[in-house]
Every structure is written in C-alpha cells, then in structure tokens.
Amino acid sequence: MKNDLTCAVVRDLLPAYTEGLTEEETNQAVERHLDACPQCRGRCDAMRLDAALPSPAEEREVDYLKTVNRRGKRRTLRAVAATALIAALLIGGAALKLFVIGEPASAAGMNWTLQEDGGAVNLRAFSTWSGIAYCRWETKQEGDTVYIRANKVLPSWLYPTADYRTRIPLDGVESVYLAEQLIWQDGEAIFASTMDLAALRTPYTGDAPALGAIAEALGLHGLGDFTNSLRTGHEPYGWTVDFTTGDPDTIHDAMTLNALYMLALVDNLGEVAWTAPDGSSRTWTTEDAGRHLRRLVEEYNTVYDRAMEAPSSIKDWSTPAGLARLEKLTVYVRDYKR
C-alpha cells in the first residue's frame, strides 16, 4: 500500500494521533508512514512518553494531595491518641476516686465498740455494710475533744478492710467523735439511741411539737390513749399527761422512768404529772427526780459493782453522757429490779 503522507504532514498529525483524536483511516496512513520513517517514529515515541508523564501542574496537585493525606493521617492518629488518653485518664481517675481517694466516712453504716482500759479507751470501728473499706485514719485532739476521721473506699488489695482498732488515751479528754459522730463523753459510750434522744432536747415547755416528739420517742402512746396539758404561765412550768386508757400499774411504772427523761430533755420544765384511767395520779418535780436518781444510782452501783456518779439535779443529765446513764438505769429497773 502506498505511503501517501509526507513527514511534514505526519508531524502535524502526531499530536492528535498520540492523543487518539484522529479517524481510523488517518491512523492507518500515519502508521504506514511511521513504519517506513524512523525519524517520525522516534518523534511519535517521544510524544507518547511525554504524554505519559504528569505535567508540573499535575505533579503539584499530586504532591498537595499527598501532603493533605499525610496531614489527615497525622491528625487522625493524634485524635485517636488523644481520645485514648482521655479515656484512660477518665477510667484511671474514676478508679483512683473509688479505690484510693474515696470520700470522708460518715457514721452511716459504721459501727463501733468501746472498752475502757487503764485510763484509755480501746476503740474498734467497722462497717455494717458489705463492699466498704476505710482508709487513711486520722486521730486529732483539739482541746478536750478527740476527732477520729477516715475515708470510705471500695475494697482492694491496697485497702482491703473496714475493720480498724486504736487506743485513745483519756488524759484531758472529755469527748470523742468518730466520723463526726459523738461516741464517748464524760466516761460514757454514746450510741445512736442516745443521740436520737439528745436531738429532741428543747429549751421551752411551751414548744408543743417538741414535747410531742419526746412523748413519741418515749413510747407514751404504747401505754394508752392520753391528752397533754402544759402549764407555761408561771413556774414551775408543768407537763401533765392524762391517760384515758391503759393499765394503771403499767402506766405508773413506766411514767416514773419517763418523767426523768421528760425533765432532762425540756430545759425549763419543773414538774411532770400524770393520771391513770382509774383516777390515780403522780407528780414529779425536779427535786423528786433528783432524789429518785440518787437512790437508783446507789442501787445500780451495788448490784453491778460500778462507780456511777449521781447528779445533784436531773438537769445535769441533759447531756448525751447523762442520757446514756439514764438508759443504763432504765435497763437496770426493767431487767433487774422488776
């Protein structure tokens, strides 16, 4: 077949030919010429090589994309690392709080025993709740008061137990607090029942709601139906309980003890009176209460070989320590004397 294309024509066609823009008939004519002309074939090969290489603009674009990709990967890695670090810190912080730092222990869920021994008190504190441990115990004396504090944590190999024992010298000490709860005062162990009573103390006989709370705590409703009347216009300020139902003997026995608490818990109360359903009645003044207390203390010391000190007045036993002594005498009367 005749090669009808000159070199000049082929050189003009090569750009379009190498880019695939020429028709099939033209392609055949160009290829016949290239087969016969080494110079034009070399030019064609060079043009194809140039076409295969990226242009400077393309190279810049590719380099930019690679940079963006590298930066994106670095940012992603940094974000992942930061997230992992934050998660580790949060988990570690929570564990540190739960197992090491904890929170100040309170009297809730805490129990204790006290035993006096040669001018000191042996204290054992422990938790009544499972899954609790105490740590970093601290004993500090401020004046005549000793404060014992701890932190509450979850049990671990570091702090595995809630059981704690210590010995507290009593020289110059009048009160001991455990986890902000008074547990010892003036030679007496103070327990929750005592503090519940002490919290009911009121300065005025005229405070009817406060007196109602005292009556409830002492169990007067268990003795029978009754009404209260208060004398607040002149001294001695009085509290009278009139029972309309109930056993008279039971009422008189119980009110003999209850009157001591009533006079101790109401600061300006000077007289307690009560009447049984059969019309029989009793009246206790602070002086009557004082004399009765001294007799009870003497009997108690004889029976239990103790050295409880009798008060000069029932009002001296309005403190938690005094109420604790009243509780001891109450147990003595109910469980021994009867």
Side-chain angles (χ1 to χ4, degrees):
M1 184 176 292
K2 184 179 178 182
N3 185 3
D4 52 0
L5 295 181
T6 66
C7 288
V9 173
V10 171
R11 285 195 295 270
D12 288 340
L13 292 173
L14 281 178
Y17 170 77
T18 56
E19 293 183 12
L21 301 177
T22 52
E23 296 293 336
E24 180 60 29
E25 185 178 353
T26 303
N27 291 342
Q28 293 176 1
V30 171
E31 289 169 359
R32 286 195 299 272
H33 180 85
L34 293 176
D35 289 340
C37 180
Q39 290 182 345
C40 289
R41 187 168 61 250
R43 182 183 291 272
C44 179
D45 291 341
M47 292 179 67
R48 284 173 173 165
L49 181 60
D50 289 341
L53 296 174
S55 66
E58 290 174 336
E59 289 181 351
R60 288 194 297 272
E61 182 177 356
V62 171
D63 290 342
Y64 172 74
L65 291 175
K66 288 181 179 179
T67 301
V68 170
N69 287 335
R70 286 196 297 270
R71 290 176 178 172
K73 289 179 180 179
R74 286 197 295 268
R75 290 194 185 100
T76 301
L77 289 174
R78 284 197 295 267
V80 171
T83 301
L85 178 61
I86 291 172
L89 289 174
L90 290 175
I91 294 172
L96 189 68
K97 172 68 175 176
L98 292 173
F99 292 96
V100 180
I101 298 175
E103 60 185 20
S106 68
M110 184 181 288
N111 207 342
W112 58 88
T113 60
L114 292 169
Q115 183 178 11
E116 290 194 39
D117 178 23
V121 167
N122 294 319
L123 165 68
R124 180 196 172 199
F126 53 96
S127 175
T128 56
W129 298 341
S130 61
I132 293 295
Y134 296 124
C135 65
R136 292 194 297 284
W137 288 91
E138 176 190 51
T139 300
K140 184 178 181 181
Q141 182 168 348
E142 298 178 5
D144 58 8
T145 303
V146 171
Y147 296 93
I148 302 172
R149 300 182 176 96
N151 273 25
K152 179 177 67 174
V153 295
L154 295 180
S156 68
W157 64 268
L158 187 61
Y159 300 117
T161 181
D163 199 290
Y164 175 73
R165 301 168 191 264
T166 189
R167 182 178 173 84
I168 308 165
L170 295 179
D171 186 24
V173 174
E174 293 186 4
S175 302
V176 177
Y177 284 80
L178 174 63
E180 312 307 326
Q181 170 73 56
L182 180 67
I183 63 168
W184 188 89
Q185 184 184 63
D186 194 21
E188 296 293 336
I190 309 298
F191 295 99
S193 61
T194 313
M195 292 307 300
D196 290 342
L197 280 175
L200 299 176
R201 183 179 175 184
T202 180
Y204 304 115
T205 304
D207 189 346
L211 269 61
I214 292 172
E216 181 72 23
L218 295 177
L220 267 62
H221 292 281
L223 300 175
D225 297 329
F226 64 89
T227 58
N228 284 318
S229 59
L230 305 176
R231 183 173 66 247
T232 60
H234 61 83
E235 294 184 353
Y237 300 118
W239 181 358
T240 299
V241 184
D242 293 312
F243 287 92
T244 57
T245 64
D247 177 68
D249 291 338
T250 302
I251 289 172
H252 288 307
D253 287 343
M255 287 303 297
T256 298
L257 289 171
N258 288 335
L260 301 176
Y261 288 97
M262 295 157 73
L263 288 164
L265 290 171
V266 185
D267 290 351
N268 71 344
L269 181 62
E271 184 178 279
V272 173
W274 63 93
T275 302
D278 64 355
S280 58
S281 62
R282 305 281 191 278
T283 299
W284 280 68
T285 65
T286 54
E287 291 76 13
D288 295 329
R291 285 191 293 269
H292 185 61
L293 273 179
R294 286 188 285 275
R295 287 195 299 270
L296 284 180
V297 169
E298 183 177 355
E299 293 175 9
Y300 175 88
N301 288 337
T302 300
V303 170
Y304 294 110
D305 192 22
R306 297 290 189 270
M308 181 186 294
E309 185 176 351
S312 58
S313 169
I314 183 61
K315 301 300 182 182
D316 295 336
W317 277 13
S318 61
T319 63
L323 293 172
R325 295 185 182 105
L326 269 180
E327 289 179 312
K328 287 182 177 180
L329 294 179
T330 299
V331 171
Y332 159 68
V333 171
R334 290 176 177 171
D335 295 346
Y336 182 85
K337 191 171 181 180
R338 292 179 186 174

